[in-house]
């Protein structure tokens, strides 16, 4: 199966590229413009499937630039879906937990009704609808709170790196304790996406996140605990940040659907540990006595 990866230079796209290896056709923004149907028609051919990781990911900026958010996340999704359908190619659209309003008290399942509360979430939900309406063979993959080795290009990094940088600058760090989500390692998400495609799971929506959930504050605490950093970390309420876009207060995702096919992601703490190792921040060392110790490298 030959797979084109749109947004292959991005945080998730680069790990999907690694996971598919020789089967992958990487497509950077220089090579394809999803807003332009002619570009999509010119580039998307001679592959069996297209994974669309292209997105306008700036959540706050989307409020002031709804046209751009909708052009990339919705019209772009429509263009890719249309061309996939014309050429009998499978279409994988990457979506987000931000399609939900956050009013639920238990993790969202694939069949929970979306109700986005900001422009970014609305544009991604529009992308979902257009993907399923314009392409017969589609997967919509909802992921969340990504951390990956490259960091999000559109956001200029990821939460883990921002925390480590602030701590190494000895800054006072204020992190919200009233927003709960499912932190997800892009490498794990990439492998699950490959699994879904290669096992030919039924078309439709899948939630692909690491297991479990936590507040952003708890996430930050876990990062510093792994690295044995005594950070100046304080809780703050999300309203105090006065951000342009509202965020869902609770957007943990779960997938009993994947479980029913015998697939399961590991928990976010184990994924975070592997991420920190991959980035060279710390290693696990086995001592002669057979004990397991955690050593801080930086
Ligand atoms: N980051 C998160 O926490 C998060 C959470 C949930 C869901 N998601 C979803 O996951 C996907 C990947 O996110 P990410 O974190 O990997 O973001 P990213 O690092 O910013 O990657 C986005 C990629 O898309 C490319 N791109 C942007 N606009 C494009 C366009 N108009 N045409 C073609 N390519 C374009 C970018 O290239 P340039 O940078 O060169 O423009 C980049 O390679 C997105 O669909 C996002 O909505 C992300």
């Amino acid at each position: 199966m030959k797979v084109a990866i749109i947004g292959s230079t991005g945080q998730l796209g680069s790990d999907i590229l690694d996971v598919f290896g020789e089967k992958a056709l990487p497509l950077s923004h220089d090579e394809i413009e999803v807003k332009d149907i002619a570009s999509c028609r010119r580039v998307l051919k001679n592959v069996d499937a297209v994974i669309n990781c292209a997105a306008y990911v700036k959540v706050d900026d989307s409020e002031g630039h709804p046209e751009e958010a909708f052009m990339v996340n919705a019209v772009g999704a429509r263009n890719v879906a249309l061309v996939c359908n014309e050429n009998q190619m499978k279409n994988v659209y990457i979506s987000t937990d931000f399609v939900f309003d956050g009013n639920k008290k238990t993790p969202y399942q694939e069949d929970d009704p979306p109700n986005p509360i900001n422009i970014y979430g609305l544009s991604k939900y529009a992308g979902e609808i257009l993907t399923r309406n314009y392409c017969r063979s589609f997967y919509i993959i909802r992921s969340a709170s990504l951390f990956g080795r490259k960091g999000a290009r559109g956001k200029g990094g990821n939460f883990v790196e921002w925390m480590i940088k602030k701590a190494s600058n000895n800054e006072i760090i204020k992190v919200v304790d009233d927003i709960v989500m499912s932190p997800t390692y892009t490498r794990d998400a990439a492998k699950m996406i490959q699994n879904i495609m290669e096992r030919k799971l039924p078309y439709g929506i899948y939630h692909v996140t690491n297991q479990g959930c936590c507040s952003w504050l708890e996430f930050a605490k876990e990062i510093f605990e792994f690295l044995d950093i005594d950070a100046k970390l304080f809780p703050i309420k999300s309203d105090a940040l006065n951000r342009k876009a509202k965020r869902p207060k609770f957007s943990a995702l779960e997938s009993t659907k994947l479980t029913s096919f015998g697939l399961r992601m590991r928990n976010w703490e184990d994924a975070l540990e592997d991420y920190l190792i991959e980035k060279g921040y710390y290693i696990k060392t086995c001592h002669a006595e057979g004990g397991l110790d955690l050593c801080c490298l930086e």
Side-chain angles (χ1 to χ4, degrees), residues 6-14 27-36 39 52-58 68 71-73 76 93-98 120 124 141-147 150-158 184 186 216 253:
I6 306 176
S8 60
T9 58
Q11 180 171 230
L12 178 61
S14 57
L27 294 173
S28 70
H29 201 169
D30 289 341
E31 289 161 304
I32 185 168
E33 174 51 69
V34 295
K35 295 186 282 185
D36 176 10
S39 167
N52 180 9
C53 299
Y56 186 83
V57 292
K58 295 182 181 123
E68 184 61 12
M71 277 309 291
V72 182
N73 298 341
Y93 176 68
I94 309 298
S95 190
T96 169
D97 53 335
F98 276 27
Y120 169 73
K124 294 294 290 185
I141 305 289
R142 293 194 189 124
S143 198
S145 307
L146 296 174
F147 56 94
K150 287 198 79 175
R153 279 170 70 88
K155 296 182 184 181
N158 69 43
T184 300
T186 48
W216 286 101
L253 302 185

Side-chain angles (χ1 to χ4, degrees), residues 114-134:
N115 182 30
I117 57 170
N118 59 38
I119 296 289
Y120 169 73
L122 189 58
S123 68
K124 294 294 290 185
Y125 183 42
E128 288 191 5
I129 296 171
L130 292 163
T131 298
R132 69 171 191 244
N133 285 348
Y134 280 83

Side-chain angles (χ1 to χ4, degrees), residues 58-131:
K58 295 182 181 123
V59 176
D60 287 314
D61 289 358
S62 294
E63 298 297 308
H65 302 279
E67 300 86 354
E68 184 61 12
F70 271 85
M71 277 309 291
V72 182
N73 298 341
V75 176
R78 197 277 314 214
N79 291 342
V80 173
L82 188 65
V83 174
C84 283
N85 208 50
E86 286 168 356
N87 295 287
Q88 288 84 47
M89 303 181 296
K90 294 180 183 113
N91 181 199
V92 181
Y93 176 68
I94 309 298
S95 190
T96 169
D97 53 335
F98 276 27
V99 298
F100 295 114
D101 58 20
N103 293 331
K104 208 181 162 204
K105 302 288 177 259
T106 53
Y108 285 93
Q109 301 282 341
E110 284 88 349
D111 55 3
D112 279 317
N115 182 30
I117 57 170
N118 59 38
I119 296 289
Y120 169 73
L122 189 58
S123 68
K124 294 294 290 185
Y125 183 42
E128 288 191 5
I129 296 171
L130 292 163
T131 298

Side-chain angles (χ1 to χ4, degrees), residues 19-268:
V19 163
F20 277 94
E22 285 177 357
K23 294 175 185 166
L25 171 69
L27 294 173
S28 70
H29 201 169
D30 289 341
E31 289 161 304
I32 185 168
E33 174 51 69
V34 295
K35 295 186 282 185
D36 176 10
I37 183 87
S39 167
C40 294
R41 285 210 168 98
R42 195 168 52 248
V43 176
L44 298 176
K45 50 178 122 163
N46 304 323
V47 293
D48 304 294
V50 176
I51 303 179
N52 180 9
C53 299
Y56 186 83
V57 292
K58 295 182 181 123
V59 176
D60 287 314
D61 289 358
S62 294
E63 298 297 308
H65 302 279
E67 300 86 354
E68 184 61 12
F70 271 85
M71 277 309 291
V72 182
N73 298 341
V75 176
R78 197 277 314 214
N79 291 342
V80 173
L82 188 65
V83 174
C84 283
N85 208 50
E86 286 168 356
N87 295 287
Q88 288 84 47
M89 303 181 296
K90 294 180 183 113
N91 181 199
V92 181
Y93 176 68
I94 309 298
S95 190
T96 169
D97 53 335
F98 276 27
V99 298
F100 295 114
D101 58 20
N103 293 331
K104 208 181 162 204
K105 302 288 177 259
T106 53
Y108 285 93
Q109 301 282 341
E110 284 88 349
D111 55 3
D112 279 317
N115 182 30
I117 57 170
N118 59 38
I119 296 289
Y120 169 73
L122 189 58
S123 68
K124 294 294 290 185
Y125 183 42
E128 288 191 5
I129 296 171
L130 292 163
T131 298
R132 69 171 191 244
N133 285 348
Y134 280 83
C135 186
R136 271 185 301 276
S137 315
F138 74 90
Y139 292 109
I140 288 166
I141 305 289
R142 293 194 189 124
S143 198
S145 307
L146 296 174
F147 56 94
R149 118 195 97 93
K150 287 198 79 175
R153 279 170 70 88
K155 296 182 184 181
N158 69 43
F159 183 80
V160 183
E161 299 302 324
W162 295 328
M163 288 300 107
I164 294 171
K165 188 161 180 225
K166 280 174 181 287
S168 59
N169 291 340
N170 211 19
E171 287 177 42
I172 290 176
I173 308 171
K174 293 181 184 169
V175 178
V176 294
D177 65 354
D178 60 348
I179 292 188
V180 170
M181 43 77 215
S182 300
T184 300
Y185 186 20
T186 48
R187 179 156 288 271
D188 289 3
K191 284 184 193 155
M192 185 56 83
I193 292 166
Q194 182 189 40
N195 253 308
I196 291 169
M197 294 172 72
E198 291 194 342
R199 289 176 188 221
K200 299 189 169 64
L201 259 49
Y203 294 122
I205 302 172
Y206 290 89
H207 286 179
V208 172
T209 56
N210 283 119
Q211 294 286 320
C213 60
C214 61
S215 71
W216 286 101
L217 182 72
E218 288 164 334
F219 189 29
K221 279 185 184 162
E222 191 75 12
I223 295 163
F224 295 136
E225 195 148 310
F226 269 129
L227 300 178
D228 201 16
I229 294 174
D230 190 15
K232 295 175 185 155
L233 183 63
F234 297 96
I236 188 170
K237 296 295 170 206
S238 49
D239 285 351
L241 293 178
N242 282 322
R243 290 190 289 198
K244 285 188 191 141
K246 280 193 253 174
R247 264 73 172 173
K249 284 275 166 79
F250 180 89
S251 63
L253 302 185
E254 207 173 61
S255 181
T256 44
K257 202 169 162 187
L258 284 180
T259 318
S260 73
F261 293 109
L263 295 171
R264 189 181 157 84
M265 303 271 283
R266 60 180 165 170
N267 67 43
W268 66 265

